């Protein structure tokens, strides 16, 4: 299965390589008066499942010590604490829920910076023999300047409700791999929002499996060789296209 390759995973790798990071107390102890973010995800299919929330807490108390690759000087940056929070299925429904403390407390005074939520295929063979689950889709919800410094986040005031539409996307890789994966394709694979006074995030996606888009990779890297994207209506994207046109798939 293709894993989500994002900041959360990169941070875990950094902590494993950084011996100093191991000394930081990452224990969370939310105070009794903390605000909470209620997260609700509606699973759209028996073949998909919400992945555990990927939560990032930051600390101005327990900072990271880094070294400049340019001159070897040491400097400090905000401390990071990535945490995975599992969602729980609500009764016998297709709703999954979790809670995130805005103030993580602890000796380092951890504060919520951002979190990822979303869904991914966990069963792919219903759409083709030999298919394996591919990449996930969802949203990144940010709460501070540290998370939104790249300028890609749109601010939303109050509670957040997202209802994106997804379609199946089959990728046939022929170069250095024979794996064929089934992913979810949306207008945006990950929506980036900054929450202002947000205490509830609802993610209610829909999935239409009647329209399947296929990507056929090249067998060799050579002049004139291009991957092929085949839309549900049988039409082929122009040469050099690397991302399917969501509007074309979504058109009735």
């Amino acid at each position: 299965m293709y894993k989500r390759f994002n900041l959360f995973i990169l941070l875990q790798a950094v902590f494993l390589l950084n011996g100093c990071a191991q000394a930081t107390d990452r224990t969370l102890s939310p105070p009794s008066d903390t605000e909470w973010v209620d997260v609700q995800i509606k699973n759209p299919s028996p073949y998909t499942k919400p992945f555990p929330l990927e939560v990032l807490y930051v600390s101005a108390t327990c900072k990271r010590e880094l070294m400049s690759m340019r001159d070897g000087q040491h400097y400090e940056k905000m401390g990071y604490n990535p945490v995975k929070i599992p969602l729980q299925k609500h009764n016998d429904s297709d709703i999954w829920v979790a809670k995130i403390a805005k103030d993580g407390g602890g000796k380092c005074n951890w504060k919520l910076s951002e979190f990822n939520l979303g869904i991914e295929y966990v069963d792919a063979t219903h759409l083709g023999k030999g298919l394996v689950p591919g990449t996930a889709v969802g949203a990144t919800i940010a709460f501070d300047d540290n998370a939104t410094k790249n300028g890609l986040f749109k601010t939303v005031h109050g509670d957040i409700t997202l209802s994106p539409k997804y379609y199946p996307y089959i990728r046939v890789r022929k170069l250095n791999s024979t794996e064929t994966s089934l992913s979810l394709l949306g207008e945006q694979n990950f929506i980036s929002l900054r929450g202002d006074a947000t205490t509830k995030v609802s993610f209610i996606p829909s999935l239409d499996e009647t329209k399947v888009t296929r990507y056929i990779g090249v067998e060799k890297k050579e002049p004139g060789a291009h991957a092929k994207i085949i839309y549900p209506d049988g039409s082929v994207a122009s040469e050099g296209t690397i991302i399917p046109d969501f509007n074309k798939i979504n058109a009735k």
Side-chain angles (χ1 to χ4, degrees):
M1 179 189 296
Y2 292 91
K3 300 297 183 182
R4 293 178 300 282
F5 190 73
N6 52 31
L7 175 63
F8 185 86
I9 295 173
L10 287 173
L11 289 174
Q12 289 182 315
V14 168
F15 291 148
L16 288 174
L17 294 172
N18 185 352
C20 295
Q22 295 177 3
T24 301
D25 188 342
R26 294 191 172 79
T27 304
L28 298 177
S29 182
S32 59
D33 61 349
T34 186
E35 276 194 301
W36 293 83
V37 180
D38 290 309
V39 179
Q40 174 180 293
I41 298 178
K42 186 177 188 296
N43 189 33
S45 165
Y47 304 107
T48 60
K49 186 178 179 181
F51 57 80
L53 302 179
E54 298 172 337
V55 184
L56 178 63
Y57 285 95
V58 296
S59 171
T61 303
C62 301
K63 294 185 177 181
R64 294 172 291 150
E65 184 176 297
L66 304 175
M67 184 179 71
S68 171
M69 299 298 291
R70 179 181 300 175
D71 55 18
Q73 294 295 313
H74 289 261
Y75 63 98
E76 290 184 331
K77 293 194 74 174
M78 190 81 72
Y80 282 171
N81 186 4
V83 179
K84 284 193 176 183
I85 298 178
L87 292 110
Q88 303 296 325
K89 194 172 185 179
H90 183 63
N91 297 328
D92 197 27
S93 69
D94 53 6
I95 302 296
W96 294 69
V97 296
K99 295 172 73 71
I100 305 173
K102 288 188 176 183
D103 185 348
K107 293 181 179 179
C108 291
N109 298 310
W110 296 108
K111 306 297 182 185
L112 176 62
S113 177
E114 63 179 293
F115 68 90
N116 293 335
L117 79 162
I119 59 172
E120 59 188 348
Y121 272 114
V122 291
D123 186 343
T125 55
H126 67 292
L127 286 182
K129 185 178 179 181
L131 287 177
V132 298
T135 53
V137 291
T140 300
I141 311 298
F143 293 86
D144 63 9
D145 292 337
N146 179 75
T148 59
K149 59 189 175 186
N150 60 16
L152 301 177
F153 287 74
K154 176 183 177 182
T155 298
V156 176
H157 303 282
D159 294 343
I160 296 172
T161 298
L162 298 171
S163 302
K165 190 170 188 177
Y166 297 110
Y167 296 96
Y169 187 31
I170 294 176
R171 291 186 179 99
V172 180
R173 289 176 169 81
K174 297 184 177 181
L175 185 65
N176 301 324
S177 174
T178 58
E179 189 171 78
T180 301
S181 64
L182 173 63
S183 297
L184 293 155
L185 177 67
E187 187 171 11
Q188 295 175 268
N189 282 345
F190 267 82
I191 303 164
S192 298
L193 298 175
R194 176 167 179 165
D196 176 36
T198 299
T199 58
K200 184 176 182 179
V201 177
S202 299
F203 187 68
I204 311 172
S206 61
L207 172 60
D208 181 356
E209 290 192 328
T210 66
K211 295 181 179 181
V212 180
T213 301
R214 288 176 168 81
Y215 169 97
I216 311 297
V218 298
E219 295 185 1
K220 295 181 180 179
K221 282 188 176 181
E222 55 188 11
H226 296 280
K228 183 185 296 184
I229 293 176
I230 305 173
Y231 290 109
D233 63 3
S235 61
V236 179
S238 57
E239 285 189 356
T241 302
I242 58 175
I243 300 175
D245 184 341
F246 177 83
N247 291 329
K248 178 177 176 63
I249 302 168
N250 195 44
K252 293 183 180 180

